[in-house]
Each structure stands twice: as structure tokens, then as C-alpha cells.
Amino acid sequence: MKAKKVNLFFKIVLIFTGFLALWNTCLYAGKSQKLRVALTGKFPPFSFYSGKGRLIGFDVDVSKAIARKLNRDLEIVTTEWDGILAGLLAGKYDAIIGSMAKTPQREEVVNFSIPYYISGAQLFIHEDNKDEIENIDALRGKRIGVGLGETYEHYLRKNYPDIQVVTYKSTVDIFQDMLNGRIDGFVTDKLVGLYQIEKGRMPFVTAGKLLYEESIAIPVVQERPQLLKKINKALAEMKRKGELAAIYKKWFEEKGKDFETAAGIETKIIVKKLGKGFAITLLVAFSALLMGFVLAIPSAVILNNKAFFIYYPLRSFNDFIRGTPLLIQLFFVYFGAPQVGVMLTPIQAAILTLTVNSSAYMSEVIRSGLMSVDCGQILAAKALGLSRLQSFRYIIWPQAFRIALPPLMNSVVALMKDTALIAVISVGEVIREAQSIISVTYNPMKYYFIVAVMFFIFTFPLMKLAGRIEKKIKEKGFANA
Amino acid sequence: MLEIKNVRYLYPDGTRALEDISINFPREHILALLGRSGSGKTTLLKCIGRFLKVERGKILLGGRSVYDLSEIDLRRSIGIVFQDLYLFPHLRVIDNMTLAPRLVMGEDSKQAKDTAMVTLKKLGIDDIWDKYPSQISGGQAQRVAIARALVLRPKYLLLDEPTSALDVDTTDEFGRWLVRLKEETTFIIVSHDVLFCEKTATSGALIEEGRIVSRGSIDNILKKTKR
Ligand SMILES: Nc1ncnc2c1ncn2[C@@H]1O[C@H](COP(=O)(O)OP(=O)(O)O)[C@@H](O)[C@H]1O
Ligand SMILES: [Mg+2]
């Protein structure tokens, strides 16, 4: 009897694992047509958008060459540097060809290919200070900027503990703070730094020798040694045949060559990029709002009545959502979903997260609206023979909704603004597009201001409308009935 | 006939609100259920309206327990106007009145509206049909609440403390309206306002601390209270 049960248990486990294996194979089989490569698209000259809006750069060329050698179509995913490794681990793409340095820490979670170029960490300072600051030792006790998640941060903290390390989302931000005097220097890749300084016509110069050398290589998940082997073979061949050197020469030695960027970025492209970005922002915001609102109504009813058996789970869930940063929820959904076998595109993940998030906030607002409706209203409706549903639909809901409307409008405005965060899971919304424009134009204030205005054009009428409705309700005088 | 037999009700907190209440309400005239504040009048009214379930005893309507009636049959037989009226603040007077006929009795909008206007006219307030409840006076609101219940044509219409929010003049006027309407339904006035009941009702009962202490004509009851 017992043996039989165990047997059955094993059978179930076997079938289940078999199913999982099949599922995984299908997933990977579906992927094998294309080589999906991640990079930031904001890292000139390695990856950035040209004046004509095309993704170009050293890393892009290397990606193309490798895909060709592997005989695969190339799909480039542009994503934020912060989440680029997490995305690789979550299976969002096959490899990162985004100028990632090989480090022991990273090697714990991924396998690196052989290096495809060598660079190094370089300190840059303002040219006005070049006489005082000979090398990094002169900056002890001062503030130095680095890109968030780059190896330089770890290196500086370890070797120069008395230097204050300030992390930035992008080089453009670092430049801005160098000009503002918030930092005294910055450390970045020497090649990148020199290129960007020249492009942005920035008054910065190198100070001292390379802090250390870095091997730039391609990380692949540890579960896919076959892929790594193929990439290594491709790289070795490219080195042998001088193809890699040719790409290097194209981007670093042919000075003065026009990479479609010399004249900056065309206005037409800027308008198109920002327009497309804002369309995505609106799509995400309105889908999330609509679904969040629909979900919020039953949630609010449940939250308004402890008698429902799911009251306590929902109460806790709502508190959890409202008490944790949206940013973390986004990461959680985007990187967590693949681990339970659900592949979500960045936009799907963004809509899902914002739906849940906005539903949590809106259900609280609606709940307090429901609570402020006099219980006597239900008695009166019942005395007239209305069913519970009719009483909710015609008596309770219209009153609760009118009370909840102004704070609901505020939730809508808040959610609109929250969409700014979804760039971190590589949704190409308006702020991400602005950043990619800024990475070639070096004019953050201008483009961030334009984006702010775009948001304001949408949120302002909503805020006005909320005010109008509130006034109207006060005039009719039933808000406190 | 509305019969109440040996009804007892305890609130969940143990308050004994009704004890062995027995009383019959024949379908005629205007009846009164008198009693001091806190004596259990509203509790009895809520039991009759099935908002509370009696602990013991029976409430029968035409020989059938009100607990066995369908929701629609019950609401079409017994109307209730609560002390606080509970007009629907987001609906105009006319919409307050047509909602139940449309939703519950399946009348079409025109039919419901016509009936509502006729009823409003009977109560002398057809001029306020398009006002919101916040825009009308207390006396008008009281009549709208009655009109809203009347359009369902209940056999009995229970009014809880109908005069508590009215001043002396309005109370008298309201009483006259009720007398004029007594052919429409049997009013049961639940009130501590002895003067008003004396002027308006023909017979009734007196309730004290949850028990019926006297019943019969209003004069009789009043004699007893004065004693
Ligand atoms: N919800 C309640 N819970 C507990 N006791 C109540 C409740 N409502 C009324 N009571 C008590 O029941 C008794 C009768 O109240 P009620 O029927 O409202 O009296 P009346 O309408 O005659 O003024 C009172 O003692 C009152 O305090
Ligand atoms: Mg009372």
C-alpha cells in the first residue's frame, strides 16, 4: 500500500519534471533562431543611436560579426546597465555584448568569453585643475564620480577607501556634475571617456596613468556552455583574421570620420523618438489604469467588509504593495516571472506591475468612498426591494464614486508619473528615449525639460478636472450626506 | 392583517429590546405605535421589515410569516420610512421615486414617472420633482420619503418618528396630508409624539420597555398613560 503510494508520487514527479524539461526545451528551441544580445544603447562609441536614429557602435558591430559567424539572425535588446545581468540570468537574452569587464564577482554568476578588447580605468579631471592634480592620490578625501554598477566603483572603494565615490546613472550625469563642481573627478573607461569628452566638447583631461587594465568580454549564463564555446570560437577567428582589429580601427583610430553623429541628431529623429516613447508611456499608463480601476472595485468592496474570507490576505497584499518601492516591484515581476516559467516582455511586465500597483492605491481610495456612504442608504434601498447588487450599482457605487473621484484623479496623475520608472526594465518609454538622445547630444536639461512638459500637458488637465468635479460635488452638497 | 405574536428580540450585546410582544394591525385607517424613546419601537419596526430576525414568536402577514415571503412580495406589502428618511442624495426627487418601480417591479420609465408625479401631486409637492434632496426642506423631504414608499403600493406603510424633524406648523400640515392619504395604505405611525398621534391616528398600542402595556383606541391609551 505504502510502496504503491510512493510509486505514484515518483510517477507524478517524473511526469512533472518531464513536462518541465519539455517546456524548457520548447522555450530554448523557440529562441534558437535568433541570437539575442543585450547592450545599453547609451554608451558611445560602443553602442548608441546615430543622428538618423540607428543603433550603432563598436559593440553593435562586434555583435553583428558574431551573429554572422554563428549563422544566426541578430536581435539587439537595449536595456539599462543596472538590470542587464539580471536580465541575462532571467533568460531575456542570450549574451551581453555591452563592453562588460570580466570580474571575479561577475564570474560567480556567469561565464565570460575570451576578451574582445582590453581597456582600462582612467581618472579624468577638470582641465583647470590639471596642475594641482597629478594623479588619483591628490583626490583623497574628495568626491569622484563613477557609473552605477561599473567595476570602477568596487575598485575605488577597495583601494581608495578615503575617496568618496558618487555613483551616476550615465556619463552625461557625471559630466553635468563635473561642470557643477559637485565632483572633483571621475573614473571611467579610458577609450569611452576620451571619446565622450571630445564629442561633448567637455573641458576634461586625463590624470595619471591607467588605474588598472580591464578585459572586456561577453557573459553567457553558466547553463549554456555550448553557446559560450561557439562565441569563443567566433571571437578567436575574428582576432585571427583581423576582423576585430578592423572594427576597433573604425571606431577609435579613424578620427574625424563621420559616424552620422557629427552634426548631432536630426530634429526629425528627436521628435520621432520622443513621440514614440511618449506613446508607449501613454499605452502603459492607460492600460494599467483601466485594468487597475476594474480590479480596484471588487478589491475595495472586499476591503470594506472584514467578513469576506479573503479580507486579510488582500489587506496584507495591498499594504505590501503600497509599502514597497515600485522600482523593486518592477524588477521583481520582470526578472521573477521567467523563473516561474512565464516570459513577459518588458511592456507586459510594466503594465502588469503598474496595474497591480495602481489597483492597490485606487482600491484604498474607493474603499474610503464606500465607507463614507451612510449605512442607512443600504437600509432604504432594501426597504424598497432593491437586491444587494442593485443597491450597490444604483445607490452605493454612484455616491462612493463621486466622493472617490478627486483622489482617484490624483492616483491617475501619480501613475502617469510613475511610468518614468519603467525605463529600468528596458521599456522604450519617453525617458529612456530622452536618455538615448542625451547620450549623443550631451544636453540633459533641454531634453528632460521637454519630457517634463510632455507629462505636464497630460497631467495638468486631469488635475484641473479633479478640482472641477470636487467643486461640483460640494455645490450639489451630497458629499457629506 | 399584520399579526405580531409573542415576539422577543435581543440585540447581540444582550440588550433585551422586545419581550413577548403581541399585537394585531388590521388594514384600516391610521394606526399608532406609541412609546417613549428607547422603549423598543424602532426595533419592532425593523423586525417587521425583516431587517432583524426575531428571537422568538411570529410576525404574520395575511397568515404567512414575513420570513417566508419573497423579497418582492414583502417589500410590496410593507413599506418603511426610516426616521432619517435616507433619501438618495445623488438622485433627484423623481429619480428617488422611480428607481424601485423600474428595478423591482419592472415598470417602464414613463409609467414609473407618471405614477410618481401623481403621487407627488397628492402630497402637494409636485413642484419639486427635479430637485435634489439637499435642495428641499425637511417637511418636503418627509413627504418625498413617503411618496417614494407609496409608489410601490404597500398594504402597510410604517413611519418611524415622522414628526421628529418637523416644527409645529409643518407637523400639523403633515398630519392633514396623512389623513387625506389614508385610502392609499394603512399607515402605522411609530412615534413618541402623543399629540400628533392623538390628532392623526384612530387606534394603536403603547409600548414600554419592550412590552405592550395597552392597546385600543388612542383615547383609551392616553387615559392609561396619564394615570
Ligand atoms: N443596535 C443596537 N444594539 C444594542 N442595543 C440597541 C441597539 N439599537 C437599540 N438598542 C436598544 O434597544 C432598546 C430599544 O431601542 P429602540 O427600538 O431604538 O427604541 P425606540 O425606537 O423606541 O426609541 C433601547 O434600550 C436601545 O438602547
Ligand atoms: Mg426609534
mmCIF file of all heavy atoms in Angstrom, chain A residues 333-355:
data_model
loop_
_atom_site.group_PDB
_atom_site.id
_atom_site.type_symbol
_atom_site.label_atom_id
_atom_site.label_comp_id
_atom_site.label_asym_id
_atom_site.label_seq_id
_atom_site.Cartn_x
_atom_site.Cartn_y
_atom_site.Cartn_z
ATOM 1 N N VAL A 333 8.804 41.551 -10.824
ATOM 2 C CA VAL A 333 7.933 40.957 -11.836
ATOM 3 C C VAL A 333 8.734 40.611 -13.094
ATOM 4 O O VAL A 333 8.646 39.508 -13.619
ATOM 5 C CB VAL A 333 6.781 41.918 -12.197
ATOM 6 C CG1 VAL A 333 6.016 41.412 -13.411
ATOM 7 C CG2 VAL A 333 5.845 42.080 -11.011
ATOM 8 N N TYR A 334 9.570 41.550 -13.510
ATOM 9 C CA TYR A 334 10.270 41.373 -14.786
ATOM 10 C C TYR A 334 11.280 40.231 -14.719
ATOM 11 O O TYR A 334 11.338 39.382 -15.597
ATOM 12 C CB TYR A 334 10.967 42.673 -15.160
ATOM 13 C CG TYR A 334 11.654 42.639 -16.499
ATOM 14 C CD1 TYR A 334 10.942 42.350 -17.664
ATOM 15 C CD2 TYR A 334 13.017 42.892 -16.611
ATOM 16 C CE1 TYR A 334 11.557 42.326 -18.885
ATOM 17 C CE2 TYR A 334 13.643 42.872 -17.843
ATOM 18 C CZ TYR A 334 12.916 42.592 -18.983
ATOM 19 O OH TYR A 334 13.529 42.565 -20.191
ATOM 20 N N PHE A 335 12.056 40.199 -13.648
ATOM 21 C CA PHE A 335 13.082 39.169 -13.550
ATOM 22 C C PHE A 335 12.570 37.913 -12.862
ATOM 23 O O PHE A 335 13.135 36.838 -13.003
ATOM 24 C CB PHE A 335 14.305 39.707 -12.814
ATOM 25 C CG PHE A 335 14.933 40.872 -13.526
ATOM 26 C CD1 PHE A 335 15.103 42.092 -12.902
ATOM 27 C CD2 PHE A 335 15.339 40.735 -14.848
ATOM 28 C CE1 PHE A 335 15.664 43.159 -13.575
ATOM 29 C CE2 PHE A 335 15.900 41.796 -15.529
ATOM 30 C CZ PHE A 335 16.058 43.015 -14.890
ATOM 31 N N GLY A 336 11.505 38.043 -12.084
ATOM 32 C CA GLY A 336 10.990 36.893 -11.346
ATOM 33 C C GLY A 336 10.085 36.007 -12.185
ATOM 34 O O GLY A 336 10.087 34.793 -12.040
ATOM 35 N N ALA A 337 9.319 36.631 -13.087
ATOM 36 C CA ALA A 337 8.343 35.860 -13.862
ATOM 37 C C ALA A 337 8.982 34.708 -14.648
ATOM 38 O O ALA A 337 8.458 33.602 -14.623
ATOM 39 C CB ALA A 337 7.550 36.786 -14.781
ATOM 40 N N PRO A 338 10.133 34.943 -15.324
ATOM 41 C CA PRO A 338 10.721 33.833 -16.087
ATOM 42 C C PRO A 338 11.092 32.646 -15.192
ATOM 43 O O PRO A 338 11.093 31.514 -15.634
ATOM 44 C CB PRO A 338 11.988 34.455 -16.694
ATOM 45 C CG PRO A 338 11.742 35.907 -16.692
ATOM 46 C CD PRO A 338 10.877 36.180 -15.495
ATOM 47 N N GLN A 339 11.380 32.915 -13.921
ATOM 48 C CA GLN A 339 11.760 31.826 -13.021
ATOM 49 C C GLN A 339 10.595 30.908 -12.697
ATOM 50 O O GLN A 339 10.794 29.791 -12.229
ATOM 51 C CB GLN A 339 12.375 32.395 -11.739
ATOM 52 C CG GLN A 339 13.739 33.002 -12.042
ATOM 53 C CD GLN A 339 14.391 33.622 -10.841
ATOM 54 O OE1 GLN A 339 13.986 33.409 -9.712
ATOM 55 N NE2 GLN A 339 15.429 34.395 -11.075
ATOM 56 N N VAL A 340 9.377 31.401 -12.882
ATOM 57 C CA VAL A 340 8.238 30.504 -12.719
ATOM 58 C C VAL A 340 7.650 30.144 -14.082
ATOM 59 O O VAL A 340 6.512 29.715 -14.180
ATOM 60 C CB VAL A 340 7.153 31.126 -11.804
ATOM 61 C CG1 VAL A 340 7.669 31.241 -10.391
ATOM 62 C CG2 VAL A 340 6.688 32.471 -12.326
ATOM 63 N N GLY A 341 8.463 30.327 -15.116
ATOM 64 C CA GLY A 341 8.081 29.844 -16.440
ATOM 65 C C GLY A 341 7.220 30.783 -17.259
ATOM 66 O O GLY A 341 6.666 30.393 -18.270
ATOM 67 N N VAL A 342 7.096 32.041 -16.825
ATOM 68 C CA VAL A 342 6.300 32.994 -17.600
ATOM 69 C C VAL A 342 7.234 34.009 -18.237
ATOM 70 O O VAL A 342 7.957 34.702 -17.541
ATOM 71 C CB VAL A 342 5.286 33.743 -16.708
ATOM 72 C CG1 VAL A 342 4.354 34.594 -17.568
ATOM 73 C CG2 VAL A 342 4.498 32.764 -15.865
ATOM 74 N N MET A 343 7.234 34.041 -19.559
ATOM 75 C CA MET A 343 8.076 35.014 -20.251
ATOM 76 C C MET A 343 7.265 36.287 -20.481
ATOM 77 O O MET A 343 6.251 36.260 -21.166
ATOM 78 C CB MET A 343 8.523 34.451 -21.601
ATOM 79 C CG MET A 343 9.820 33.690 -21.514
ATOM 80 S SD MET A 343 11.155 34.803 -21.031
ATOM 81 C CE MET A 343 12.459 33.618 -20.749
ATOM 82 N N LEU A 344 7.692 37.371 -19.875
ATOM 83 C CA LEU A 344 6.980 38.627 -20.069
ATOM 84 C C LEU A 344 7.860 39.577 -20.852
ATOM 85 O O LEU A 344 9.055 39.690 -20.571
ATOM 86 C CB LEU A 344 6.646 39.266 -18.719
ATOM 87 C CG LEU A 344 5.632 38.556 -17.840
ATOM 88 C CD1 LEU A 344 5.479 39.281 -16.523
ATOM 89 C CD2 LEU A 344 4.291 38.478 -18.547
ATOM 90 N N THR A 345 7.275 40.253 -21.836
ATOM 91 C CA THR A 345 8.032 41.300 -22.496
ATOM 92 C C THR A 345 8.120 42.461 -21.503
ATOM 93 O O THR A 345 7.326 42.537 -20.565
ATOM 94 C CB THR A 345 7.316 41.796 -23.768
ATOM 95 O OG1 THR A 345 6.107 42.436 -23.376
ATOM 96 C CG2 THR A 345 7.006 40.649 -24.711
ATOM 97 N N PRO A 346 9.092 43.360 -21.713
ATOM 98 C CA PRO A 346 9.197 44.487 -20.774
ATOM 99 C C PRO A 346 7.884 45.251 -20.647
ATOM 100 O O PRO A 346 7.487 45.614 -19.540
ATOM 101 C CB PRO A 346 10.276 45.356 -21.422
ATOM 102 C CG PRO A 346 11.109 44.409 -22.195
ATOM 103 C CD PRO A 346 10.184 43.342 -22.685
ATOM 104 N N ILE A 347 7.188 45.465 -21.765
ATOM 105 C CA ILE A 347 5.942 46.234 -21.686
ATOM 106 C C ILE A 347 4.882 45.472 -20.903
ATOM 107 O O ILE A 347 4.187 46.033 -20.056
ATOM 108 C CB ILE A 347 5.433 46.595 -23.097
ATOM 109 C CG1 ILE A 347 6.366 47.641 -23.709
ATOM 110 C CG2 ILE A 347 4.004 47.129 -23.060
ATOM 111 C CD1 ILE A 347 5.890 48.240 -25.004
ATOM 112 N N GLN A 348 4.800 44.156 -21.133
ATOM 113 C CA GLN A 348 3.845 43.355 -20.367
ATOM 114 C C GLN A 348 4.146 43.437 -18.876
ATOM 115 O O GLN A 348 3.247 43.617 -18.051
ATOM 116 C CB GLN A 348 3.881 41.891 -20.816
ATOM 117 C CG GLN A 348 3.227 41.658 -22.157
ATOM 118 C CD GLN A 348 3.535 40.270 -22.712
ATOM 119 O OE1 GLN A 348 4.483 39.610 -22.281
ATOM 120 N NE2 GLN A 348 2.732 39.833 -23.661
ATOM 121 N N ALA A 349 5.435 43.295 -18.542
ATOM 122 C CA ALA A 349 5.824 43.340 -17.129
ATOM 123 C C ALA A 349 5.484 44.705 -16.532
ATOM 124 O O ALA A 349 5.000 44.804 -15.404
ATOM 125 C CB ALA A 349 7.311 43.049 -16.985
ATOM 126 N N ALA A 350 5.735 45.763 -17.311
ATOM 127 C CA ALA A 350 5.447 47.112 -16.816
ATOM 128 C C ALA A 350 3.952 47.294 -16.593
ATOM 129 O O ALA A 350 3.525 47.799 -15.548
ATOM 130 C CB ALA A 350 5.961 48.152 -17.813
ATOM 131 N N ILE A 351 3.144 46.859 -17.556
ATOM 132 C CA ILE A 351 1.692 47.016 -17.421
ATOM 133 C C ILE A 351 1.184 46.202 -16.241
ATOM 134 O O ILE A 351 0.403 46.683 -15.419
ATOM 135 C CB ILE A 351 0.970 46.614 -18.725
ATOM 136 C CG1 ILE A 351 1.278 47.630 -19.828
ATOM 137 C CG2 ILE A 351 -0.538 46.535 -18.508
ATOM 138 C CD1 ILE A 351 0.675 47.305 -21.176
ATOM 139 N N LEU A 352 1.679 44.971 -16.127
ATOM 140 C CA LEU A 352 1.235 44.106 -15.018
ATOM 141 C C LEU A 352 1.557 44.749 -13.665
ATOM 142 O O LEU A 352 0.699 44.871 -12.791
ATOM 143 C CB LEU A 352 1.919 42.739 -15.129
ATOM 144 C CG LEU A 352 1.565 41.739 -14.040
ATOM 145 C CD1 LEU A 352 0.098 41.354 -14.134
ATOM 146 C CD2 LEU A 352 2.435 40.494 -14.136
ATOM 147 N N THR A 353 2.807 45.208 -13.530
ATOM 148 C CA THR A 353 3.217 45.786 -12.245
ATOM 149 C C THR A 353 2.419 47.045 -11.935
ATOM 150 O O THR A 353 1.916 47.208 -10.825
ATOM 151 C CB THR A 353 4.717 46.143 -12.279
ATOM 152 O OG1 THR A 353 5.425 45.041 -12.836
ATOM 153 C CG2 THR A 353 5.228 46.418 -10.877
ATOM 154 N N LEU A 354 2.297 47.909 -12.919
ATOM 155 C CA LEU A 354 1.574 49.163 -12.668
ATOM 156 C C LEU A 354 0.085 48.913 -12.437
ATOM 157 O O LEU A 354 -0.559 49.638 -11.683
ATOM 158 C CB LEU A 354 1.771 50.137 -13.834
ATOM 159 C CG LEU A 354 3.162 50.775 -13.902
ATOM 160 C CD1 LEU A 354 3.298 51.622 -15.152
ATOM 161 C CD2 LEU A 354 3.428 51.626 -12.681
ATOM 162 N N THR A 355 -0.464 47.876 -13.076
ATOM 163 C CA THR A 355 -1.865 47.534 -12.846
ATOM 164 C C THR A 355 -2.067 47.159 -11.381
ATOM 165 O O THR A 355 -2.938 47.695 -10.700
ATOM 166 C CB THR A 355 -2.294 46.345 -13.735
ATOM 167 O OG1 THR A 355 -2.194 46.739 -15.092
ATOM 168 C CG2 THR A 355 -3.722 45.931 -13.435
#
